[in-house]
Amino acid sequence: MTEKGYNNADIARALSITPQGVGKWFKTNSISKESLFACSKILGASISWLMNGEGDKYIFDEDSDHANKKHISNVDSYIQLETWDNKTPLDEDEVEVPFYMEVELSAGTGSVIQLETAGPKLRFSKSTLRRYRIDPGNAACVKVSGNSMEPVIPDGATVGIDTGNTMIKDGDMYAIDWAGALFVKTLTRRPGGGLRIRSFNMDEYPDENLTVQEAQQVRIIGRVFWYSVLR
């Protein structure tokens, strides 16, 4: 807020609440899911960074505050939707990514690894994958179950995984095989080779700080590069 030049009253007006309500966030170190999403849009900051200071700070390129506001207010004006089905030919810039129907990545207590049977496919732009240095052959989509990654990734969301990227970048989100169960979590390396596994819903799912030996039970399946939420 300080960086953007906003005070409590500015945020309060944008959210139609009282400045005292905004001040309470800082006094109690708590905020509602709805207010968190609203602040993310107003400030142009990622929810992950707002919650725990990890990952990319900004949602958009930080050319200017005006650019952020323009992106937020006009997002609906430049999104064009086209219908397609499995009979629609691929465009030159499109690639189909497998969606594994029988594999669920848990955002809760974990789900046992099941047979990876490919179901329908999701379409992605080759140029988009190329921009993020993702080989289409390494991309896969799976369903998330559980509430440990709320409010960012709710139960039933779909995530895209880059199986070619298994090197940990502190604070990023990964799909992991942890002692035979599948999870989506943020990972941070600890001194001496340990590993911290973090959920966004830290009230119900506190951090897991693994020793070097315990971390050896964690196999990184790939980095989460995309997720989709339908409510």
Side-chain angles (χ1 to χ4, degrees):
M1 288 167 55
T2 302
E3 183 178 314
K4 296 286 186 178
Y6 297 146
N7 57 32
N8 287 12
D10 296 325
I11 301 298
R13 279 193 297 271
L15 272 62
S16 299
I17 60 177
T18 65
Q20 291 77 12
V22 176
K24 188 177 179 181
W25 299 340
F26 302 103
K27 290 180 180 179
T28 63
N29 194 32
S30 64
I31 186 171
S32 70
K33 181 191 302 185
E34 293 75 14
S35 295
L36 181 68
F37 275 110
C39 287
S40 172
K41 291 182 179 180
I42 293 168
L43 301 174
S46 74
I47 290 176
S48 174
W49 187 87
L50 286 175
M51 291 183 69
N52 49 47
E54 296 181 344
D56 294 331
K57 181 175 181 179
Y58 294 109
I59 300 173
F60 308 109
D61 292 334
E62 187 61 4
D63 295 331
S64 67
D65 182 52
H66 173 73
N68 274 338
K69 290 180 179 178
K70 182 178 179 182
H71 279 306
I72 294 167
S73 61
N74 294 337
V75 66
D76 291 333
S77 66
Y78 58 76
I79 293 179
Q80 297 180 348
L81 301 178
E82 296 182 359
T83 59
W84 58 272
D85 57 26
N86 57 6
K87 296 181 182 179
T88 305
L90 289 171
D91 291 338
E92 290 184 2
D93 188 46
E94 284 186 323
V95 64
E96 289 185 325
V97 172
F99 182 74
Y100 290 101
M101 301 294 290
E102 294 187 18
V103 176
E104 287 190 350
L105 294 181
S106 175
T109 56
S111 57
V112 177
I113 298 176
Q114 301 177 19
L115 180 64
E116 296 188 357
T117 303
K121 296 180 184 292
L122 299 182
R123 297 189 177 199
F124 283 83
S125 164
K126 291 179 182 178
S127 57
T128 297
L129 295 178
R130 188 164 51 246
R131 184 164 64 250
Y132 291 98
R133 300 179 181 179
I134 299 170
D135 184 338
N138 292 331
C141 293
V142 292
K143 179 183 176 183
V144 169
S145 63
N147 68 340
S148 75
M149 297 304 280
E150 290 190 347
V152 180
I153 301 182
D155 181 32
T158 299
V159 297
I161 301 167
D162 178 11
T163 61
N165 187 347
T166 58
M167 296 294 293
I168 296 177
K169 178 182 177 183
D170 290 346
D172 276 4
M173 203 174 342
Y174 295 85
I176 61 174
D177 169 1
W178 183 9
L182 297 176
F183 297 89
V184 170
K185 303 288 181 182
T186 61
L187 303 179
T188 302
R189 294 165 296 181
R190 301 183 66 211
L195 185 67
R196 184 180 72 194
I197 299 177
R198 169 167 286 180
S199 304
F200 288 122
N201 183 2
M202 288 184 284
D203 290 340
E204 295 184 52
Y205 301 88
D207 288 353
E208 298 276 0
N209 293 302
L210 307 187
T211 64
V212 177
Q213 291 75 20
E214 291 171 331
Q216 292 175 354
Q217 299 183 54
V218 177
R219 178 176 68 90
I220 300 174
I221 300 172
R223 179 179 176 273
V224 174
F225 69 88
W226 169 88
Y227 57 89
S228 176
V229 179
L230 293 177
R231 284 296 201 180

